[in-house]
Amino acid sequence: MTASPRAVELALEAAQAAADKLARDIVVLDVSERLAITDCFVVASADTERQVKAVVDGVEEQLRRLGAKPLRREGEREGRWVLLDFSDVVVHVQHGEERTYYALERLWKDCPQIAFTDRDLSRTVEAVAPGAGRR
């Protein structure tokens, strides 16, 4: 069983919303074969607690436009790891230190990744090759 088309659509929109708020290291995982409670995880990093909150707000706003409301929102007070549960999609926005420590991608390494490309290619190019073309 693979993630539903709706779950993939929401996960990719969540990933784009996170990218629009300058989240880093965005990964979309199809966890549908391992978990019965959700189809996709979106994992993103932010450098500060304020940015974590901005990313979370951006994701929630974008998915609401698509008719998805979060069932739960956890960890917002601390701003270090916020979880948004949209049922078919669970979004994890983590401060860089938490991302490194908990390494969700390693825990779910057997799950296939869903390809995500930032629509703003200038951010993608900079993320892949910082300083490219500079002398």
Side-chain angles (χ1 to χ4, degrees), residues 39-54:
D39 282 356
C40 297
F41 277 175
V42 177
V43 184
S45 296
D47 294 325
T48 65
E49 289 83 355
R50 178 178 246 165
Q51 188 184 13
V52 167
K53 291 179 182 189

PDB file of all heavy atoms in Angstrom, residues 39-54:
ATOM      1  N   ASP A  39      -0.234   8.571   6.291  1.00  0.00           N
ATOM      2  CA  ASP A  39       0.405   8.158   5.049  1.00  0.00           C
ATOM      3  C   ASP A  39       1.789   8.774   4.850  1.00  0.00           C
ATOM      4  O   ASP A  39       2.681   8.128   4.319  1.00  0.00           O
ATOM      5  CB  ASP A  39      -0.464   8.535   3.843  1.00  0.00           C
ATOM      6  CG  ASP A  39      -1.630   7.595   3.627  1.00  0.00           C
ATOM      7  OD1 ASP A  39      -1.752   6.595   4.361  1.00  0.00           O
ATOM      8  OD2 ASP A  39      -2.440   7.867   2.715  1.00  0.00           O
ATOM      9  N   CYS A  40       1.936  10.042   5.222  1.00  0.00           N
ATOM     10  CA  CYS A  40       3.179  10.757   4.926  1.00  0.00           C
ATOM     11  C   CYS A  40       3.682  11.541   6.126  1.00  0.00           C
ATOM     12  O   CYS A  40       2.895  12.064   6.909  1.00  0.00           O
ATOM     13  CB  CYS A  40       2.967  11.753   3.784  1.00  0.00           C
ATOM     14  SG  CYS A  40       2.528  11.025   2.216  1.00  0.00           S
ATOM     15  N   PHE A  41       4.996  11.623   6.213  1.00  0.00           N
ATOM     16  CA  PHE A  41       5.667  12.534   7.130  1.00  0.00           C
ATOM     17  C   PHE A  41       6.350  13.603   6.287  1.00  0.00           C
ATOM     18  O   PHE A  41       6.957  13.284   5.249  1.00  0.00           O
ATOM     19  CB  PHE A  41       6.768  11.836   7.924  1.00  0.00           C
ATOM     20  CG  PHE A  41       6.336  11.079   9.141  1.00  0.00           C
ATOM     21  CD1 PHE A  41       7.274  10.346   9.852  1.00  0.00           C
ATOM     22  CD2 PHE A  41       5.041  11.079   9.602  1.00  0.00           C
ATOM     23  CE1 PHE A  41       6.928   9.643  10.994  1.00  0.00           C
ATOM     24  CE2 PHE A  41       4.672  10.376  10.733  1.00  0.00           C
ATOM     25  CZ  PHE A  41       5.621   9.657  11.434  1.00  0.00           C
ATOM     26  N   VAL A  42       6.280  14.830   6.748  1.00  0.00           N
ATOM     27  CA  VAL A  42       7.091  15.910   6.194  1.00  0.00           C
ATOM     28  C   VAL A  42       7.981  16.354   7.339  1.00  0.00           C
ATOM     29  O   VAL A  42       7.488  16.648   8.435  1.00  0.00           O
ATOM     30  CB  VAL A  42       6.230  17.085   5.691  1.00  0.00           C
ATOM     31  CG1 VAL A  42       7.119  18.223   5.195  1.00  0.00           C
ATOM     32  CG2 VAL A  42       5.267  16.626   4.601  1.00  0.00           C
ATOM     33  N   VAL A  43       9.277  16.372   7.106  1.00  0.00           N
ATOM     34  CA  VAL A  43      10.234  16.770   8.134  1.00  0.00           C
ATOM     35  C   VAL A  43      11.023  17.955   7.593  1.00  0.00           C
ATOM     36  O   VAL A  43      11.532  17.907   6.468  1.00  0.00           O
ATOM     37  CB  VAL A  43      11.196  15.614   8.496  1.00  0.00           C
ATOM     38  CG1 VAL A  43      12.120  16.011   9.635  1.00  0.00           C
ATOM     39  CG2 VAL A  43      10.428  14.344   8.835  1.00  0.00           C
ATOM     40  N   ALA A  44      11.107  19.020   8.399  1.00  0.00           N
ATOM     41  CA  ALA A  44      11.825  20.221   7.988  1.00  0.00           C
ATOM     42  C   ALA A  44      12.565  20.816   9.181  1.00  0.00           C
ATOM     43  O   ALA A  44      12.151  20.639  10.325  1.00  0.00           O
ATOM     44  CB  ALA A  44      10.849  21.256   7.417  1.00  0.00           C
ATOM     45  N   SER A  45      13.645  21.517   8.890  1.00  0.00           N
ATOM     46  CA  SER A  45      14.449  22.154   9.933  1.00  0.00           C
ATOM     47  C   SER A  45      14.356  23.665   9.837  1.00  0.00           C
ATOM     48  O   SER A  45      14.183  24.217   8.747  1.00  0.00           O
ATOM     49  CB  SER A  45      15.929  21.783   9.773  1.00  0.00           C
ATOM     50  OG  SER A  45      16.115  20.410   9.951  1.00  0.00           O
ATOM     51  N   ALA A  46      14.510  24.305  10.986  1.00  0.00           N
ATOM     52  CA  ALA A  46      14.580  25.761  11.060  1.00  0.00           C
ATOM     53  C   ALA A  46      15.671  26.121  12.066  1.00  0.00           C
ATOM     54  O   ALA A  46      15.972  25.348  12.970  1.00  0.00           O
ATOM     55  CB  ALA A  46      13.236  26.335  11.480  1.00  0.00           C
ATOM     56  N   ASP A  47      16.243  27.308  11.887  1.00  0.00           N
ATOM     57  CA  ASP A  47      17.400  27.694  12.700  1.00  0.00           C
ATOM     58  C   ASP A  47      17.064  28.265  14.075  1.00  0.00           C
ATOM     59  O   ASP A  47      17.896  28.211  14.973  1.00  0.00           O
ATOM     60  CB  ASP A  47      18.250  28.713  11.935  1.00  0.00           C
ATOM     61  CG  ASP A  47      18.885  28.089  10.695  1.00  0.00           C
ATOM     62  OD1 ASP A  47      19.244  26.894  10.746  1.00  0.00           O
ATOM     63  OD2 ASP A  47      19.010  28.790   9.685  1.00  0.00           O
ATOM     64  N   THR A  48      15.869  28.826  14.225  1.00  0.00           N
ATOM     65  CA  THR A  48      15.505  29.454  15.495  1.00  0.00           C
ATOM     66  C   THR A  48      14.083  29.052  15.877  1.00  0.00           C
ATOM     67  O   THR A  48      13.308  28.590  15.030  1.00  0.00           O
ATOM     68  CB  THR A  48      15.561  30.993  15.397  1.00  0.00           C
ATOM     69  OG1 THR A  48      14.550  31.431  14.473  1.00  0.00           O
ATOM     70  CG2 THR A  48      16.931  31.489  14.947  1.00  0.00           C
ATOM     71  N   GLU A  49      13.740  29.257  17.140  1.00  0.00           N
ATOM     72  CA  GLU A  49      12.383  28.967  17.597  1.00  0.00           C
ATOM     73  C   GLU A  49      11.369  29.822  16.844  1.00  0.00           C
ATOM     74  O   GLU A  49      10.297  29.348  16.479  1.00  0.00           O
ATOM     75  CB  GLU A  49      12.249  29.195  19.103  1.00  0.00           C
ATOM     76  CG  GLU A  49      12.974  28.173  19.960  1.00  0.00           C
ATOM     77  CD  GLU A  49      14.460  28.471  20.161  1.00  0.00           C
ATOM     78  OE1 GLU A  49      15.000  29.438  19.566  1.00  0.00           O
ATOM     79  OE2 GLU A  49      15.106  27.719  20.913  1.00  0.00           O
ATOM     80  N   ARG A  50      11.722  31.067  16.589  1.00  0.00           N
ATOM     81  CA  ARG A  50      10.827  31.972  15.858  1.00  0.00           C
ATOM     82  C   ARG A  50      10.581  31.451  14.437  1.00  0.00           C
ATOM     83  O   ARG A  50       9.466  31.496  13.934  1.00  0.00           O
ATOM     84  CB  ARG A  50      11.430  33.365  15.817  1.00  0.00           C
ATOM     85  CG  ARG A  50      10.601  34.347  15.032  1.00  0.00           C
ATOM     86  CD  ARG A  50      11.218  35.713  15.057  1.00  0.00           C
ATOM     87  NE  ARG A  50      10.307  36.561  15.776  1.00  0.00           N
ATOM     88  CZ  ARG A  50      10.588  37.736  16.244  1.00  0.00           C
ATOM     89  NH1 ARG A  50      11.802  38.221  16.111  1.00  0.00           N
ATOM     90  NH2 ARG A  50       9.694  38.454  16.868  1.00  0.00           N
ATOM     91  N   GLN A  51      11.628  30.960  13.797  1.00  0.00           N
ATOM     92  CA  GLN A  51      11.458  30.432  12.447  1.00  0.00           C
ATOM     93  C   GLN A  51      10.649  29.137  12.466  1.00  0.00           C
ATOM     94  O   GLN A  51       9.846  28.899  11.565  1.00  0.00           O
ATOM     95  CB  GLN A  51      12.804  30.213  11.760  1.00  0.00           C
ATOM     96  CG  GLN A  51      12.617  29.839  10.288  1.00  0.00           C
ATOM     97  CD  GLN A  51      13.902  29.506   9.576  1.00  0.00           C
ATOM     98  OE1 GLN A  51      14.943  29.305  10.204  1.00  0.00           O
ATOM     99  NE2 GLN A  51      13.838  29.410   8.265  1.00  0.00           N
ATOM    100  N   VAL A  52      10.849  28.291  13.472  1.00  0.00           N
ATOM    101  CA  VAL A  52      10.032  27.077  13.594  1.00  0.00           C
ATOM    102  C   VAL A  52       8.560  27.476  13.596  1.00  0.00           C
ATOM    103  O   VAL A  52       7.749  26.911  12.855  1.00  0.00           O
ATOM    104  CB  VAL A  52      10.386  26.274  14.873  1.00  0.00           C
ATOM    105  CG1 VAL A  52       9.341  25.195  15.155  1.00  0.00           C
ATOM    106  CG2 VAL A  52      11.774  25.651  14.754  1.00  0.00           C
ATOM    107  N   LYS A  53       8.215  28.460  14.402  1.00  0.00           N
ATOM    108  CA  LYS A  53       6.813  28.901  14.486  1.00  0.00           C
ATOM    109  C   LYS A  53       6.330  29.474  13.162  1.00  0.00           C
ATOM    110  O   LYS A  53       5.190  29.246  12.757  1.00  0.00           O
ATOM    111  CB  LYS A  53       6.641  29.890  15.630  1.00  0.00           C
ATOM    112  CG  LYS A  53       6.794  29.212  16.985  1.00  0.00           C
ATOM    113  CD  LYS A  53       6.640  30.182  18.130  1.00  0.00           C
ATOM    114  CE  LYS A  53       6.852  29.431  19.441  1.00  0.00           C
ATOM    115  NZ  LYS A  53       6.523  30.214  20.609  1.00  0.00           N
ATOM    116  N   ALA A  54       7.178  30.235  12.476  1.00  0.00           N
ATOM    117  CA  ALA A  54       6.790  30.807  11.186  1.00  0.00           C
ATOM    118  C   ALA A  54       6.545  29.710  10.156  1.00  0.00           C
ATOM    119  O   ALA A  54       5.580  29.776   9.383  1.00  0.00           O
ATOM    120  CB  ALA A  54       7.875  31.767  10.689  1.00  0.00           C
TER     121      ALA A  54
END
